[in-house]
Amino acid sequence: MTVASSSIVALAGSSLPLDTLGRALHDLRISVMDRCNFRCPYCMPSETFHEHYRFLKSGERLQFEEIVRLAHLFVALGARKLRLTGGEPLLRANLPDLVGELTAIEGVQDVALTTNGVLLAKYAAELKANGLQRVTVSLDTLDEQVFARMSGGFGDPKQVLEGIRAAQQAGLAPIKVNAVVERGLNDHTVLDLIEHFRGSGVIVRLIEYMDVGNRNHWSLDRVVASRELLTRVAARWPLHPVGQNYRGEVAERYAFDDGSGEIGFISSVTEPFCGACSRARLSSDGVLYTCLFAERGHDLKRALRAGAGDAELTALIRNAWLNRVDRYSELRATAHEHPMKKVEMYYIGG
Ligand SMILES: C[S@@+](CC[C@H](N)C(=O)[O-])C[C@H]1O[C@@H](n2cnc3c(N)ncnc32)[C@H](O)[C@@H]1O
Ligand code: SF4
């Protein structure tokens, strides 16, 4: 049984936990679904995630009431931003209901969603009606052939653009578009993508291709450094830097000098931002990870289903955070000398 929020705050203790590097817990990313309707080679390459791949069974995934119960505990420990992700979160049945329950939690300031956009046209209005404030849509390119290569042959840019339009009409704002940039694959289409959204209020964010998981055959020579992209973009449209919205923001923001909006650069590879990382991640089967590149997590579902009370669960989360030492991106070079088995992105979400 879940206790009332005021008692949970008491259970969490008077001080909010700081990890071993002095970082507070501020964001919780919740993967609601390990499956996906795309097979982006940089995330879920189809040679591994084929039709016989064993995804979680529905009983193995956290149920909504379990997610909500854990979210209350995270909020009591300092989390203020919740992001629903996956896999593809919109494949999870009745997702708007979960949004409604999460936005109702006292202390939550922001609930967001990251999606590949294919099902967004169908759900945008219902998500907004249930309290979702904003949405991040992944769209790597507008070129249909390049898109097909980057999605593993599923979906097309028109569907994603339709989803973005529906989100705009529903009043979800701001809308951010995430584009992973890979050298020799879509880097020649980046300016077209930016041009398409300039002046529309949609914020394009260019993401350096990351070495998440163990299966995407990542190599540094396929990363296009944000500095290089910034130079290319600024040569076409003059830009000026804009300060952070909040400490720990992952994107470096720039605005177009002509007032046509802003763009962002996410540079986990060339300019790691571990120092201010305030993110915890909950996998679809209830394992808490304190880093996108973690090798191991803390199994909250096991404790929860074994009957742990809120005090016990809170202590598990608090201790996981207090003992957190993660700063993988800052140690990337040495990490590659000692290969490790990292958690996969589709499983904990981006
Ligand atoms: C794992 S996806 C989950 C949500 C949803 N399916 C989507 O694609 O938006 C979250 C984000 O991670 C990004 N991502 C996945 N693999 C990546 C990689 N290897 N490097 C950089 N970003 C990656 C995706 O582009 C997406 O923006
Ligand atoms: S990035 Fe998103 S859409 Fe692409 S395979 Fe991963 S989870 Fe699916």
Side-chain angles (χ1 to χ4, degrees), residues 175-285:
I175 296 174
K176 294 180 183 162
V177 161
N178 275 358
V180 176
V181 183
E182 251 189 271
R183 190 177 300 285
L185 190 50
N186 66 332
D187 55 333
H188 64 291
T189 68
V190 161
L191 293 184
D192 291 344
L193 184 71
I194 295 172
E195 181 162 42
H196 180 89
F197 289 109
R198 255 170 51 87
S200 69
V202 172
I203 301 167
V204 174
R205 304 186 319 163
L206 305 176
I207 306 181
E208 289 179 350
Y209 171 41
M210 292 187 290
D211 51 338
V212 289
N214 314 281
R215 292 156 173 167
N216 65 4
H217 309 298
W218 181 86
S219 71
L220 189 56
D221 55 13
R222 280 158 57 200
V223 176
V224 187
S226 290
R227 290 286 131 202
E228 180 182 333
L229 287 170
L230 174 62
T231 308
R232 283 200 225 169
V233 178
R236 172 93 168 260
W237 301 287
L239 296 167
H240 57 274
V242 188
Q244 287 188 327
N245 278 319
Y246 53 89
R247 184 177 146 73
E249 186 170 32
V250 294
E252 245 185 276
R253 300 166 58 211
Y254 285 82
F256 296 108
D257 287 356
D258 67 3
S260 298
E262 68 174 74
I263 60 170
F265 296 87
I266 301 180
S267 324
S268 152
V269 179
T270 63
E271 291 164 52
F273 36 78
C274 304
C277 178
S278 55
R279 286 173 285 284
R281 297 179 146 86
L282 187 61
S283 72
S284 20
D285 60 349

Side-chain angles (χ1 to χ4, degrees), residues 42-43 85-88 114-116 138 178 180 210 212 216 345:
Y42 52 71
C43 175
T85 177
E88 176 45 44
T114 306
T115 170
N116 63 27
S138 301
N178 275 358
V180 176
M210 292 187 290
V212 289
N216 65 4
M345 185 111 158

Side-chain angles (χ1 to χ4, degrees), residues 270-319:
T270 63
E271 291 164 52
F273 36 78
C274 304
C277 178
S278 55
R279 286 173 285 284
R281 297 179 146 86
L282 187 61
S283 72
S284 20
D285 60 349
V287 180
L288 164 63
Y289 289 89
T290 53
C291 178
L292 181 53
F293 302 94
E295 285 183 282
R296 248 166 264 106
H298 307 262
D299 193 345
L300 301 182
K301 184 184 77 179
R302 191 178 335 143
L304 200 147
R305 292 195 180 170
D310 286 336
E312 193 182 330
L313 289 168
T314 301
L316 279 175
I317 301 168
R318 172 184 273 280
N319 286 334

Side-chain angles (χ1 to χ4, degrees), residues 75-108:
V75 170
L77 288 167
R80 292 291 172 267
K81 280 179 61 182
L82 307 178
R83 176 175 294 280
L84 299 174
T85 177
E88 176 45 44
L90 292 178
L91 288 179
R92 180 77 189 247
N94 305 317
L95 191 73
D97 294 347
L98 177 64
V99 168
E101 293 193 56
L102 294 176
T103 51
I105 297 176
E106 206 182 310
V108 170

